[in-house]
Amino acid sequence: MDTIIRPFDQPVEPKTEWNSPMFRLAQNQFLNAAQFMGLDDNLRDRLVFPQRTLLVSFPCRRDEYSEVETVFGYRVQHVLTMGPTKGGLRYHEDVNLGEVAALAMWMTWKCALMHLPFGGAKGGVRIDPSKLSRAELQRLTRRFTMEIFSMIGPDKDIPAPDMGTNAQVMAWIMDTYSQQVGHPVPEIVTGKPLVLGGAAGREEATGRGLVYLIEAAADHLGLDLKHATAVVQGFGNVGRNTAVFLAECGVQIMAVSDVSGGIHSPKGLALPAVIQYVEQNGSLAGYPDADHISNEELLELECDVLVPAALQNQITEDNAARLKCKMVAEGANGPTTLEADEILRERGIFVLPDILGNAGGVTVSYFEWVQNTQEFAWTLEETNHRLHTMLLEAFRRTLLRSQRDSIDMRTAALVEGIDRVAQAKLLRGVFP
Ligand code: NAD
């Protein structure tokens, strides 16, 4: 029986600049874990807010020359104690300061859980990239890079891809930064194209890592993946790669979805055909050989492994009681609310929490940064071997903490991460 964690004693002051539902989720997860571990009050009050926040507005000229749109962008660095900060860059029409701050805080715990020498950061631009031409996307990216130029740097803060951004966007950031300093600086971003110093295996690392962890969790639960089924929400970088690697393990993929909705086949989907269809048509809409369902229906399908790999706030108190899976393996950041966590815990559904589940991405980003700074490239085999070793160690640490303290996997992962940051903060002391 898991220990019941009481809600934290002190409500979070709701009127801070970062206030948003997602930031409150990140704060409340942290405060619950802090209370459970008896974290020093001074440290708790320091870590519950990000250290640095930059909010910019800037012009983006459309291809129609007379149209100039004002766009909002953000960069948040949560903790500067552990090393340079590290975190993705999100392009989405709903991005806001609270969301970016929440993602930065989760990056801190994730890097600490993985024993990476980074603090957490995140960035975002409030825009729908699917509505931009390639030229518009490039202009937007270069101007945003200049707006946050003073805050980023290979020893300061290193961006990477997240929702709505990709290797090409990283290449434009790398080029813009390099033009400013007068020489190439590949280590300013990770998730770059291979020819610019990208790491073999980075593109698929988040999905690959999640599947390594699902294998370890299945082993722990006594679940035979060769006879297992999975449902995946989101068919972008994380969702698609997770589905592909799960299928390689013999798992039958029953349903997948994207922003246009979901597709389901009771016999299992033919994944290569689905991928080919999305490549040709841009989305799952109209896929011929499956039933079409909504994203809400998809989450409630019967399966062994449910993989939320799209947006935050998907598994809530409204649907958690109706989930019919044995394991939730979180590829997305923040897909499960606090209330839903409680329901999953009571129902005995095993959760691979986001800060562990999707940590493969930042881990291989770390490998890429190491290779760039040493100017020496590793093989894909070396990368995957090291990724596997590090993720399994983090899984074992988390599981051990969860069993020893009778706490759920999310709290255990948070406690592992927070404890490491707290130790570092105490050792460095307060300046001045
Ligand atoms: P992506 O842009 O490549 O793909 C996102 C997918 O989600 C697309 O298929 C899109 O159609 C779908 N989607 C968007 N809105 C949706 C909705 N309302 N319902 C269902 N599906 C919807 O993004 P990604 O890089 O795969 O990121 C997905 C999640 O994984 C995010 O939460 C991100 O923070 C997290 N993550 C990504 C990485 C990485 O390496 N890319 C690493 C760690 C965590």
Side-chain angles (χ1 to χ4, degrees), residues 359-408:
V362 70
T363 304
V364 178
S365 272
Y366 165 61
F367 295 164
E368 181 172 330
W369 180 75
V370 167
Q371 291 169 70
N372 291 157
T373 50
Q374 298 186 343
E375 299 181 16
F376 182 78
W378 308 354
T379 64
L380 180 62
E381 290 68 33
E382 281 173 286
T383 294
N384 288 344
H385 175 70
R386 287 187 163 116
L387 175 66
H388 189 253
T389 307
M390 287 176 68
L391 282 174
L392 251 64
E393 276 170 12
F395 177 80
R396 279 194 211 103
R397 277 197 295 276
T398 308
L399 187 64
L400 199 69
R401 171 83 75 164
S402 147
Q403 290 172 330
R404 202 188 59 202
D405 295 350
S406 301
I407 49 177
D408 59 274

Side-chain angles (χ1 to χ4, degrees), residues 22 88 90-93 99 103 106-107 110 122 129 160-166 202-207 232-241 257-262 278 282-284 294-296 298 308-312 314 330-335 354 357-362 365:
M22 200 160 152
R90 178 174 286 198
Y91 287 178
H92 192 277
E93 73 250 47
E99 175 175 326
L103 290 161
W106 284 323
M107 281 302 290
K110 192 181 303 181
K122 208 79 182 190
D162 190 76
M163 266 180 82
T165 57
N166 54 23
R202 171 59 186 94
E203 180 125 8
E204 65 273 25
T206 310
V232 181
Q233 185 193 49
F235 208 58
N237 178 314
V238 181
R240 188 190 306 202
N241 282 307
S257 70
D258 65 12
V259 68
S260 72
V278 171
S283 82
L284 295 164
S294 69
N295 263 295
E296 292 75 33
L298 172 122
L311 293 175
Q312 58 272 16
Q314 297 300 300
E330 295 182 346
N333 283 305
D354 47 9
N358 64 36
V362 70
S365 272

